[in-house]
């Protein structure tokens, strides 16, 4: 096992120990010890509906992720390559960048009803601006020298996109994707808590009303594990792949 | 013989700075022309105009046909291997033809290398192989021998001449080396600095 992983495991173990220590001194209902949360997690997976809610939330995260990344990338490239458009819309980007997730979620539900579309829109509106900023940076950094190569050798737009533009944008897209995953799932929970009747966020709401800290921690734990697994199994290898040529 | 390239550049500016002015050039089909002039006089700019890569100038240019271009820097796509760089420019070539194109510039078996793994001299030879791989009607070369060791320079020179003799593309070669120009070209166009 590489030393970095050993350290990470030790670090998490330390967290569990500190947690356990804190649970010993805290009143029982406010902070259950890690083992009890672990047991609750197993029960929720095997007998409860954790997997169903997890699936629902992941589907929302996936949809919001694809929506935000694709719209944000298109907009970011456009702004990065068209200075006039950039000047006109820059204020908008700043505005939406600073709009709290809670506000967009509330407004989307008020305006579009408590539906799935409103939920997705709320998440996308929150994430798109930061994708735009990241990708715009990448689009500004595109080397016109390679455009000249593509033009001289008649690549056409599709080949240019795949072989000239995207490889240069890849690090920026990866950065947007990784920070996107981290941000989106948190916003999805807020949106679910406010206006959906399934998903992890909804369950957390129910646990909150019942003052069920064990349930809250068990569901959170499950979700952290899944999101980390996606990061490690999908995004990190993808990142390495797009960097391979740099050596 | 018909002209392969006709260009009239009334004015080319970068910002306010006039780089080329009152220039008229005609190159006959199959002719080998050298363009010389002091550094910064607009030679690379002229090639970009002839190639149709730079349209921000007053005047007009006609240079129809397949283009092969060796830029002043190799300008290989860094995220693609040497072979892939050639194959992208010349999609009709199969793997064996790409390998042959590399072998012709002394890089047999090196197709898997990425630009960062090559010396400048190797990268420039791949850039030349890329330009020749498209079997260009018009071949534009920007200082193709600069910063090559004597051996590589000699190889590049022989490859260019061999291609010209075999296929008779129209060649415009930028160089600041007058001896080089006289040795290779049928005609020399001298650019002077625009004040
Ligand atoms: N993209 C550019 N922006 C501004 N000035 C440029 C640009 N490219 C070239 N120049 C200027 O135009 C002049 C001619 O450049 P260039 O065509 O590269 O000359 P040469 O190839 O003869 O050395 C130089 O003074 C150079 O500084
Ligand atoms: Mg030059």
């Amino acid at each position: 096992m590489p030393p970095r992983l050993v350290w990470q495991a030790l670090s998490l173990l330390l967290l569990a120990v500190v947690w356990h220590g804190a649970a010993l001194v805290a009143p029982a209902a406010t902070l259950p010890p890690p083992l009890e949360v672990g047991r609750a997690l197993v029960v929720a997976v095997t007998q409860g509906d954790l997997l169903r809610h997890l699936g629902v939330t992941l589907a929302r995260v996936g949809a919001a992720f694809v929506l935000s990344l694709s719209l944000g990338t298109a907009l970011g490239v456009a702004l990065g390559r068209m200075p006039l458009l950039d000047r006109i819309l820059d204020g908008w980007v700043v505005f939406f960048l600073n709009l709290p997730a809670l506000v967009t979620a509330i407004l989307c539900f008020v305006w579009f009803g408590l539906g799935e579309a409103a939920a997705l829109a709320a998440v996308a509106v929150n994430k798109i601006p930061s994708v735009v900023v990241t990708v715009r940076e990448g689009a500004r950094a595109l080397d016109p020298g390679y455009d000249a190569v593509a033009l001289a050798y008649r690549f056409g737009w599709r080949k240019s996109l795949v072989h000239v533009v995207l490889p240069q944008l890849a690090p920026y897209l990866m950065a947007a994707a990784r920070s996107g995953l981290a941000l989106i799932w948190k916003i999805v929970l807020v949106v679910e808590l406010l206006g959906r009747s399934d998903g992890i966020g909804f369950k957390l709401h129910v646990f909150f009303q019942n003052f069920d800290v064990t349930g809250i921690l068990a569901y959170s734990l499950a979700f952290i594990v899944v999101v980390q697994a996606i990061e490690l199994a999908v995004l990190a290898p993808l990142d390495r792949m797009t960097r391979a040529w740099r050596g | 013989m018909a002209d392969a390239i006709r260009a009239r550049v009334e004015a080319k500016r970068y910002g306010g700075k006039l780089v080329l002015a009152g220039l008229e050039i005609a190159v006959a089909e199959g002719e080998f022309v050298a363009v010389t002039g002091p550094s910064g006089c607009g030679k690379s700019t002229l090639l970009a105009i002839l190639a149709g890569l730079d349209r921000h100038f007053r005047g007009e240019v006609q240079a129809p046909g397949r283009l092969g271009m060796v830029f002043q820097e190799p300008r290989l796509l860094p995220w693609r291997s040497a072979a892939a760089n050639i194959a992208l420019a010349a999609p009709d070539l199969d793997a064996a033809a790409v390998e042959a194109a590399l072998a012709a510039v002394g890089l047999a078996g090196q197709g898997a290398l990425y630009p960062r793994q090559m010396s400048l001299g190797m990268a420039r030879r791949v850039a030349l192989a890329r330009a020749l791989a498209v079997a260009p009607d018009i071949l534009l070369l920007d200082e193709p021998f600069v910063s090559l060791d004597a051996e590589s320079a000699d190889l590049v020179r022989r490859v260019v001449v061999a291609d010209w003799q075999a296929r008779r593309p129209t060649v415009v070669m930028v160089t600041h080396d007058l001896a080089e120009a006289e040795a290779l070209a049928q005609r020399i166009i001298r650019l002077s600095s625009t004040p």
Side-chain angles (χ1 to χ4, degrees):
Chain A
M1 211 151 71
R4 202 175 58 85
L5 281 186
V6 175
W7 276 106
Q8 212 146 41
L10 286 176
S11 165
L12 287 175
L13 193 67
L14 180 64
L15 178 64
V17 168
V18 170
W19 174 0
H20 188 81
L24 287 181
V25 295
T30 57
L31 185 58
L35 278 180
E36 193 183 320
V37 171
R39 257 194 305 276
L41 179 58
V42 170
V43 172
V45 169
T46 52
Q47 294 157 38
D49 46 9
L50 188 148
L51 289 183
R52 182 172 73 81
H53 289 294
L54 189 67
V56 168
T57 299
L58 281 179
R60 287 194 185 114
V61 169
F65 184 83
V66 170
L67 190 68
S68 312
L69 262 286
S70 48
L71 286 181
T73 298
L75 211 56
V77 170
L79 296 192
R81 304 214 95 177
M82 295 180 231
L84 180 64
L85 193 67
D86 187 34
R87 255 170 263 147
I88 292 171
L89 294 186
D90 188 53
W92 299 31
V93 174
V94 174
F95 178 87
F96 282 102
L97 208 51
N98 288 289
L99 199 61
L102 194 53
V103 173
T104 15
I106 292 171
L107 287 181
C108 280
F109 284 134
V110 169
W111 289 338
F112 309 120
L114 294 177
E116 210 59 61
L120 281 186
V123 181
V125 167
N126 268 288
K127 182 52 198 167
I128 286 173
S130 74
V131 177
V132 168
V133 169
T134 307
V135 174
R136 178 175 64 182
E137 202 59 37
R140 282 178 183 153
L142 287 175
D143 187 335
Y146 299 128
D147 289 345
V149 171
L151 198 56
Y153 289 107
R154 301 193 181 155
F155 278 18
W157 72 267
R158 197 188 300 258
K159 217 158 118 183
S160 296
L161 185 70
V162 173
H163 297 285
V164 179
V165 177
L166 284 181
Q168 293 181 77
L169 287 184
Y172 299 89
L173 292 176
M174 281 314 305
R178 296 179 92 161
S179 74
L181 182 66
L183 182 70
I184 282 173
W185 78 264
K186 291 170 190 164
I187 304 174
V188 165
L189 294 199
V190 172
V191 169
E192 284 176 345
L193 184 146
L194 279 178
R196 304 304 301 143
S197 50
D198 51 10
I200 304 279
F202 163 76
K203 277 299 274 190
L204 292 180
H205 188 48
V206 173
F207 289 136
F208 174 50
Q209 282 172 338
N210 300 331
F211 208 71
D212 181 352
V213 179
T214 311
I216 291 178
L217 288 175
Y219 267 68
S220 309
L221 217 55
F223 209 62
I224 290 171
V225 168
V226 169
V227 170
Q228 271 304 301
I230 294 174
E231 161 73 24
L232 289 178
V234 182
L235 294 185
L238 202 62
D239 197 9
R240 273 196 298 278
M241 232 169 62
T242 58
R243 281 169 203 278
W245 61 271
R246 291 168 202 272
Chain B
M1 204 184 279
D3 287 334
I5 301 175
R6 281 174 169 282
R8 187 168 48 78
V9 183
E10 285 161 32
K12 164 67 196 173
R13 293 171 195 278
Y14 281 118
K17 186 170 176 266
L18 190 64
V19 178
L20 295 170
L23 194 65
E24 267 193 73
I25 290 178
V27 185
E29 257 172 42
E31 194 180 10
F32 194 134
V33 166
V35 175
T36 66
S39 165
C41 72
K43 302 184 295 295
S44 296
T45 304
L46 176 63
L47 278 198
I49 286 175
L50 295 183
L53 304 176
D54 186 339
R55 298 178 191 279
H56 300 283
F57 68 99
R58 198 144 53 74
E60 60 183 334
V61 59
Q62 283 169 8
R66 247 195 326 274
L67 173 69
M69 180 136 186
V70 174
F71 296 88
Q72 195 165 346
E73 335 75 53
R75 282 209 211 165
L76 303 175
L77 302 179
W79 44 86
R80 294 287 182 264
S81 67
N85 266 281
I86 294 172
L88 277 171
D92 296 339
L93 297 195
D94 60 16
V98 169
E99 174 59 24
L102 282 165
V105 293
L107 293 173
Q110 315 275 337
L113 291 185
Y114 280 79
R116 75 179 159 82
Q117 299 169 308
M118 300 179 215
S119 68
L120 180 62
M122 291 167 80
R124 300 190 71 129
R125 283 184 276 155
V126 175
L128 177 64
R130 174 173 69 179
L132 297 180
V134 306
D137 304 309
I138 295 176
L139 180 60
L140 304 179
L141 307 168
D142 199 346
E143 314 255 20
F145 310 112
V146 165
S147 66
L148 290 185
D149 59 82
E151 203 177 327
S152 302
D154 197 50
L155 182 127
V156 167
R157 196 177 299 121
R158 276 186 285 119
V159 170
V160 168
V161 169
D163 183 73
W164 180 62
Q165 285 173 345
R167 298 189 312 107
R168 287 284 154 169
T170 307
V171 181
V172 178
M173 178 183 78
V174 162
T175 174
H176 60 236
D177 184 340
L178 205 56
E180 193 76 67
E182 281 167 349
L184 291 176
Q186 298 171 300
R187 180 159 64 95
I188 298 178
I189 298 172
R190 286 164 201 264
L191 292 188
S192 51
S193 307
T194 314

